[in-house]
Amino acid sequence: MAGALQIKLKSSEKLLVAPSLLSADILNIESSISKLENTADWLHLDIMDGHFVPNLSYGPFLLKALRKKYPNAFIDVHIMVEPAENFVPMFLAGKPSLLTVHAEATPHLHRVLQSIKAEGVLAGIAINPATPAELISPVLNLADVVLVMSVNPGFGGQKFIPEVLGKVHKLAELRKERNYDYLIEMDGGLGPENAALAAAHGCDIAVAGNAVFSSPNPAETVRKMKTAGGENNG
Ligand code: DX5
Ligand code: ZN
């Protein structure tokens, strides 16, 4: 399994797409996933606590059920919960491939990232639209993924905030300067129309909820996003 994850992470020449299950059919998530027809690189699971963000979503039971049903899937878990460290163990128990915590949701980001990596799980750092990339500069060496929010977290179907593209570019530059290998993920308001723009600024993985699952053909929408990203990313 570790080998397979490594391959996914290294195939960053093209834009990877991570459909967000927040926009899946809640009463039939399995059917929503099957409509992706194996086009999705990652499955993105949004966890909301009604405190760090003004909404509630799923808990660790759904992650456990997904892992049981899809043992080989790359499950990308994005926890919007505070304090992050209180929730990390219960999500690690559900065997995510990647666990991403918000920099704004813990005073102990370094320790939290270490605790995720200690379990052999990839560790991600998420930053809100108003958070500068410089804030996480001292811990970038511990990041497998940096998730740049392109909407204010809490809800699907919001409008893309283009001002965050500068941070994506900055993070790509920092990665090169320091010879790091984290991937850059963007989340919120993405779809076929702006996937190329995201990729051109250095985005490696595009999360998309509404654009994918509200489309009459989710698999085709994922393919369109990947093609758009690939053309611009060379
Ligand atoms: C927002 C979530 C996103 C959301 C994206 O708080 O983190 O993952 O599902 O949804 P869209 O693509 O609909 O903006
Ligand atoms: Zn998310």
Side-chain angles (χ1 to χ4, degrees):
M1 184 110 186
L5 296 186
Q6 210 53 32
I7 292 163
K8 286 279 184 196
L9 278 170
K10 294 304 167 200
S11 65
S12 54
E13 318 82 55
K14 285 201 228 152
L15 185 69
L16 304 187
V17 175
S20 166
L21 298 179
L22 195 62
S23 295
D25 177 355
I26 183 70
L27 292 182
N28 205 343
I29 291 181
E30 200 182 338
S31 144
S32 291
I33 292 173
S34 72
K35 284 185 186 158
L36 298 170
E37 297 169 4
N38 294 317
T39 54
D41 296 289
W42 296 1
L43 293 175
H44 184 88
L45 185 63
D46 287 304
I47 309 295
M48 301 179 180
D49 68 350
H51 166 70
F52 179 68
V53 289
N55 196 7
L56 289 164
S57 61
Y58 316 111
F61 288 162
L62 180 59
L63 172 59
K64 276 193 180 150
L66 284 168
R67 178 51 80 212
K68 194 169 168 209
K69 180 84 197 170
Y70 305 102
N72 298 316
F74 189 105
I75 306 182
D76 162 22
V77 179
H78 172 200
I79 57 173
M80 289 159 271
V81 301
E82 188 179 11
E85 56 270 31
N86 289 12
F87 299 85
V88 161
M90 68 177 85
F91 286 99
L92 286 175
K95 302 200 185 312
S97 308
L98 162 69
L99 185 60
T100 297
V101 298
H102 270 263
E104 307 88 351
T106 174
H108 306 294
L109 185 55
H110 188 275
R111 185 191 291 152
V112 174
L113 295 170
Q114 279 183 324
S115 73
I116 296 170
K117 293 169 81 74
E119 293 300 310
V121 171
L122 298 170
I125 308 170
I127 51 172
N128 284 333
T131 303
E134 289 74 11
L135 184 88
I136 57 172
S137 174
V139 286
L140 283 174
N141 60 312
L142 291 176
D144 295 298
V145 169
V146 178
L147 172 56
V148 177
M149 290 304 304
S150 37
V151 296
N152 289 297
F155 303 93
Q158 301 182 78
K159 198 170 171 293
F160 181 72
I161 300 173
E163 287 76 13
V164 305
L165 287 165
K167 285 195 284 186
V168 174
H169 182 67
K170 171 90 195 162
L171 285 159
E173 276 185 349
L174 279 175
R175 174 172 61 188
K176 206 168 167 190
E177 263 168 40
R178 300 185 190 173
N179 209 16
Y180 290 163
D181 60 2
Y182 52 78
L183 293 185
I184 303 171
E185 184 174 20
M186 291 182 75
D187 185 2
L190 286 163
E193 70 295 344
N194 53 10
L197 183 68
H201 283 78
C203 173
D204 302 297
I205 308 126
V207 176
N210 185 56
V212 169
F213 289 111
S214 302
S215 125
N217 188 338
E220 189 51 31
T221 302
V222 173
R223 276 190 217 105
K224 274 189 198 158
M225 290 182 72
K226 289 168 72 75
T227 305
E231 281 165 5
N232 270 267
N233 232 11

